[in-house]
Short mmCIF file of all heavy atoms in Angstrom, two decimals:
data_model
loop_
_atom_site.label_atom_id
_atom_site.label_comp_id
_atom_site.label_asym_id
_atom_site.label_seq_id
_atom_site.Cartn_x
_atom_site.Cartn_y
_atom_site.Cartn_z
N LEU D 483 -22.55 -184.84 -32.03
CA LEU D 483 -23.95 -184.73 -32.40
C LEU D 483 -24.77 -185.82 -31.73
O LEU D 483 -25.88 -185.58 -31.25
CB LEU D 483 -24.09 -184.81 -33.92
CG LEU D 483 -25.51 -184.71 -34.49
CD1 LEU D 483 -26.16 -183.39 -34.09
CD2 LEU D 483 -25.48 -184.86 -36.01
N LEU D 484 -24.21 -187.02 -31.67
CA LEU D 484 -24.90 -188.12 -30.99
C LEU D 484 -25.07 -187.83 -29.51
O LEU D 484 -26.14 -188.07 -28.94
CB LEU D 484 -24.12 -189.42 -31.20
CG LEU D 484 -24.72 -190.67 -30.56
CD1 LEU D 484 -26.11 -190.96 -31.11
CD2 LEU D 484 -23.80 -191.87 -30.75
N VAL D 485 -24.03 -187.29 -28.87
CA VAL D 485 -24.12 -186.93 -27.45
C VAL D 485 -25.22 -185.88 -27.26
O VAL D 485 -26.01 -185.95 -26.31
CB VAL D 485 -22.77 -186.40 -26.93
CG1 VAL D 485 -22.93 -185.77 -25.55
CG2 VAL D 485 -21.75 -187.53 -26.86
N PHE D 486 -25.28 -184.90 -28.16
CA PHE D 486 -26.28 -183.84 -28.06
C PHE D 486 -27.69 -184.43 -28.15
O PHE D 486 -28.58 -184.08 -27.36
CB PHE D 486 -26.06 -182.83 -29.18
CG PHE D 486 -27.07 -181.71 -29.21
CD1 PHE D 486 -27.14 -180.79 -28.17
CD2 PHE D 486 -27.95 -181.59 -30.27
CE1 PHE D 486 -28.07 -179.76 -28.20
CE2 PHE D 486 -28.88 -180.56 -30.30
CZ PHE D 486 -28.94 -179.65 -29.27
N ILE D 487 -27.91 -185.33 -29.09
CA ILE D 487 -29.23 -185.93 -29.25
C ILE D 487 -29.58 -186.81 -28.05
O ILE D 487 -30.71 -186.75 -27.53
CB ILE D 487 -29.29 -186.74 -30.55
CG1 ILE D 487 -29.15 -185.80 -31.76
CG2 ILE D 487 -30.60 -187.52 -30.65
CD1 ILE D 487 -29.06 -186.52 -33.08
N LEU D 488 -28.62 -187.62 -27.60
CA LEU D 488 -28.88 -188.50 -26.45
C LEU D 488 -29.15 -187.68 -25.19
O LEU D 488 -29.99 -188.06 -24.37
CB LEU D 488 -27.70 -189.44 -26.24
CG LEU D 488 -27.48 -190.51 -27.31
CD1 LEU D 488 -26.26 -191.35 -27.01
CD2 LEU D 488 -28.72 -191.40 -27.44
N ALA D 489 -28.43 -186.56 -25.03
CA ALA D 489 -28.68 -185.70 -23.87
C ALA D 489 -30.03 -185.01 -24.00
O ALA D 489 -30.67 -184.67 -22.99
CB ALA D 489 -27.57 -184.66 -23.74
N GLY D 490 -30.47 -184.79 -25.23
CA GLY D 490 -31.75 -184.13 -25.44
C GLY D 490 -32.95 -185.00 -25.15
O GLY D 490 -34.02 -184.49 -24.80
N LEU D 491 -32.80 -186.31 -25.25
CA LEU D 491 -33.95 -187.20 -25.05
C LEU D 491 -34.53 -187.11 -23.64
O LEU D 491 -35.75 -186.95 -23.48
CB LEU D 491 -33.56 -188.64 -25.40
CG LEU D 491 -33.26 -188.90 -26.88
CD1 LEU D 491 -32.87 -190.35 -27.10
CD2 LEU D 491 -34.46 -188.53 -27.74
N PRO D 492 -33.70 -187.23 -22.57
CA PRO D 492 -34.29 -187.08 -21.23
C PRO D 492 -34.83 -185.67 -21.00
O PRO D 492 -35.81 -185.49 -20.27
CB PRO D 492 -33.13 -187.41 -20.29
CG PRO D 492 -31.90 -187.26 -21.10
CD PRO D 492 -32.29 -187.61 -22.50
N LEU D 493 -34.20 -184.68 -21.62
CA LEU D 493 -34.71 -183.31 -21.48
C LEU D 493 -36.09 -183.19 -22.11
O LEU D 493 -37.00 -182.59 -21.54
CB LEU D 493 -33.73 -182.33 -22.13
CG LEU D 493 -34.14 -180.86 -22.04
CD1 LEU D 493 -32.95 -179.99 -21.65
CD2 LEU D 493 -34.70 -180.38 -23.38
N LEU D 494 -36.26 -183.79 -23.28
CA LEU D 494 -37.56 -183.75 -23.95
C LEU D 494 -38.60 -184.52 -23.14
O LEU D 494 -39.75 -184.08 -23.04
CB LEU D 494 -37.45 -184.34 -25.36
CG LEU D 494 -36.61 -183.53 -26.35
CD1 LEU D 494 -36.53 -184.28 -27.69
CD2 LEU D 494 -37.18 -182.14 -26.55
N ILE D 555 -33.74 -181.10 -32.02
CA ILE D 555 -33.94 -181.02 -30.57
C ILE D 555 -34.60 -179.71 -30.16
O ILE D 555 -35.63 -179.72 -29.45
CB ILE D 555 -32.62 -181.24 -29.81
CG1 ILE D 555 -32.08 -182.64 -30.07
CG2 ILE D 555 -32.80 -181.00 -28.32
CD1 ILE D 555 -32.96 -183.75 -29.57
N LEU D 595 -30.73 -173.95 -21.69
CA LEU D 595 -30.25 -174.58 -22.91
C LEU D 595 -30.92 -173.98 -24.13
O LEU D 595 -30.25 -173.72 -25.15
CB LEU D 595 -30.53 -176.09 -22.86
CG LEU D 595 -30.10 -176.87 -24.10
CD1 LEU D 595 -28.59 -176.80 -24.29
CD2 LEU D 595 -30.55 -178.33 -24.02
N PHE D 669 -21.65 -176.90 -21.44
CA PHE D 669 -22.05 -178.03 -22.28
C PHE D 669 -22.29 -177.59 -23.72
O PHE D 669 -21.82 -178.24 -24.67
CB PHE D 669 -23.30 -178.68 -21.70
CG PHE D 669 -23.89 -179.75 -22.58
CD1 PHE D 669 -23.30 -181.00 -22.67
CD2 PHE D 669 -25.04 -179.50 -23.33
CE1 PHE D 669 -23.84 -181.99 -23.49
CE2 PHE D 669 -25.58 -180.47 -24.15
CZ PHE D 669 -24.98 -181.72 -24.24
N ILE D 673 -20.23 -178.78 -27.01
CA ILE D 673 -20.90 -179.43 -28.12
C ILE D 673 -20.50 -178.78 -29.44
O ILE D 673 -20.25 -179.46 -30.45
CB ILE D 673 -22.43 -179.39 -27.95
CG1 ILE D 673 -22.88 -180.43 -26.91
CG2 ILE D 673 -23.15 -179.62 -29.28
CD1 ILE D 673 -22.72 -181.86 -27.37
#
Side-chain angles (χ1 to χ4, degrees):
L483 180 59
L484 180 61
V485 169
F486 178 66
I487 294 174
L488 292 178
L491 293 179
L493 180 136
L494 293 177
I555 296 297
L595 179 63
F669 172 76
I673 284 291

